Amino acid sequence: MNEIIEAVNRAAAEAVEKIAAAQDSAALEAVRIAYLGRNGLFPELSKKMGSVPPEERRETGSAFNTGRTKIQDALNEALAKNKSASAGNEALDLTLPGRRSGCGHRHPITQLTDECVEVFGRMGFIAVDGPEIEDIYHNFDALNTPDDHPSRDPKDTFYFPDGRILRSQTSPVQVRVMETHSLPVRIVAPGRVFRRDTPDATHGMNFHQIEGLYIDRNVSMADLKSVLQNFAWEMFGKDVKIRLRPHFFPFTEPSVEYDFSCVVCGGKGCNVCKQSGWIEIAGAGMVDPNVLKNVGIDPEIWSGYAFGLGLERLAMLRYRIPDLRFLYDNDVRFLGQF
Ligand code: DAH
């Protein structure tokens, strides 16, 4: 064994010892540079190869190779250990902020429905429920709807093969309540309704209404107006005015459409209210005596009012949503704002 081989073996052993003692990857890199780097000890020693007698060259060369491999293996092993140790440290770093998993909440329409139910609840209305699959009697006939009324057309309402329908309004709940409850009654019925409309910014095939009904002795249009005015104040603040416009619905007489002064421009006129200063919110009226007769209530003794409003429309105004389809696209960037 010549002295170069001895030097190489010594250097390799030394390097392996230093690698074992190194505390971090920077220290390991320093060892690598000192022994295997371009100006390190190994290249330095290999310059002496020229002075090695030919018969010893093979042995000397293989000593270099073995030494290099030893150092490199030790380095690789130490680096791998370092990595897994630091991965372990990360998992245990209790100072890192926790990862929050997303937490859902009620849909804006559900929130608004609950709010309306609460507002009407404070005025003495009890919330009731009715079926989404209805029969023609409750959705149309009992509500005094003429046989040739366009809303009965299968182009407007979804019919099942057995003749039942997806309710086109929440008004049939009025009939169901009057059939089953003793008078007086004061209810609101929120729920989903269905129409064969082409969806656009202000129409959907499936939307939500809240229906109101009050039947008692001596109920007047003034009672209706005060409830609607109160509702407007509760939803949009004390500056909102309401107005009732004559209209027609089969189940009320007289019938009105009910407008809020525009909550965007305060009634001055803007593009939301189409420069009119008013926004249509709901239909309402005094329950038609024919409807009362249909459920066996004597219109000479009892009278009442009813109203029905669209919740999507209310949500659009309340939250300034320009297109109701945003409500149903299930985009969490939108829904997360409520
Ligand atoms: N059902 C009507 C609609 O969907 C809304 C409505 C109008 C309900 C007048 C009522 C009412 O209770 O009295 O267009």
Side-chain angles (χ1 to χ4, degrees):
M1 193 191 287
N2 61 39
E3 61 186 47
I4 297 179
I5 296 177
E6 267 169 30
V8 166
N9 287 348
R10 224 180 304 121
E14 217 175 80
V16 169
E17 244 167 63
K18 286 187 184 165
I19 289 168
Q23 297 290 341
D24 51 30
S25 49
L28 290 172
E29 179 62 4
V31 176
R32 189 192 67 75
I33 290 169
Y35 289 85
L36 304 181
R38 192 143 30 109
N39 302 315
L41 193 53
F42 267 57
E44 195 59 41
L45 288 170
S46 64
K47 282 183 196 152
K48 297 186 179 158
M49 275 299 267
S51 62
V52 174
E55 64 278 11
E56 290 177 17
R57 288 235 172 113
R58 243 179 92 108
E59 200 189 346
T60 313
S62 91
F64 270 104
N65 286 342
T66 315
R68 257 193 225 105
T69 312
K70 260 190 199 155
I71 297 174
Q72 198 58 60
D73 286 352
L75 276 172
N76 290 346
E77 200 178 311
L79 279 171
K81 239 190 233 160
N82 244 1
K83 219 181 199 173
S84 62
S86 66
N89 283 346
E90 263 166 38
L92 280 173
D93 186 349
L94 300 179
T95 63
L96 284 175
R99 265 186 225 113
R100 273 173 189 270
S101 54
C103 181
H105 61 70
R106 289 173 306 151
H107 189 274
I109 289 292
T110 311
Q111 293 180 31
L112 193 63
T113 305
D114 291 351
E115 196 180 331
C116 291
V117 166
E118 205 213 303
V119 167
F120 284 119
R122 289 203 293 268
M123 294 190 261
F125 290 81
I126 306 234
V128 299
D129 212 2
E132 290 175 357
I133 297 176
E134 255 304 359
D135 49 54
I136 290 171
Y137 174 76
H138 287 93
N139 198 87
F140 295 122
D141 299 342
L143 287 165
N144 199 38
T145 313
D147 286 346
D148 58 355
H149 195 276
S151 63
R152 289 181 182 256
D153 197 302
K155 283 210 282 300
D156 283 333
T157 294
F158 292 101
Y159 282 76
F160 289 98
D162 67 2
R164 289 184 304 165
I165 57 169
L166 287 174
R167 67 177 175 193
S168 63
Q169 49 188 357
T170 44
S171 304
V173 186
Q174 292 183 30
V175 180
R176 291 188 175 274
V177 165
M178 288 188 284
E179 282 171 345
T180 52
H181 289 58
S182 51
L183 300 179
V185 288
R186 202 198 305 242
I187 59 98
V188 281
R192 220 198 299 213
V193 302
F194 308 84
R195 290 189 196 170
R196 281 191 113 145
D197 272 333
T198 305
D200 64 20
T202 52
H203 296 86
M205 287 191 283
N206 161 211
F207 55 100
H208 296 76
Q209 291 184 330
I210 185 162
E211 190 83 13
L213 175 75
Y214 176 43
I215 308 280
D216 204 339
R217 291 170 210 269
N218 304 318
V219 180
S220 77
M221 199 83 178
D223 299 323
L224 169 63
K225 196 173 175 190
S226 75
V227 162
L228 295 179
Q229 175 70 75
N230 254 315
F231 176 70
W233 284 335
E234 291 281 348
M235 297 309 285
F236 290 100
K238 281 284 176 197
D239 293 332
V240 177
K241 296 189 196 61
I242 67 161
R243 86 176 170 185
L244 305 180
R245 267 181 301 111
H247 198 74
F248 172 80
F249 295 104
F251 32 87
T252 41
E253 182 58 38
S255 301
V256 293
E257 269 189 335
Y258 152 57
D259 302 337
F260 282 1
S261 57
C262 180
V263 294
V264 175
C265 64
K268 288 196 255 329
C270 67
N271 58 356
V272 174
C273 60
K274 302 199 186 86
Q275 312 304 329
S276 72
W278 296 93
I279 293 179
E280 183 198 322
I281 293 289
M286 301 307 292
V287 178
D288 193 296
N290 286 337
V291 174
L292 296 176
K293 278 189 218 148
N294 285 340
V295 289
I297 294 175
D298 184 351
E300 298 297 329
I301 303 174
W302 303 97
S303 56
Y305 60 73
F307 56 85
L309 51 105
L311 284 160
E312 278 77 4
R313 195 177 177 81
L314 205 59
M316 287 171 80
L317 283 177
R318 183 75 181 278
Y319 306 123
R320 311 277 161 88
I321 303 169
D323 187 325
L324 68 75
R325 287 169 293 190
F326 282 126
L327 288 164
Y328 299 111
D329 283 346
N330 277 341
D331 184 335
V332 286
R333 292 169 302 178
F334 172 79
L335 294 175
Q337 297 174 51
F338 295 89

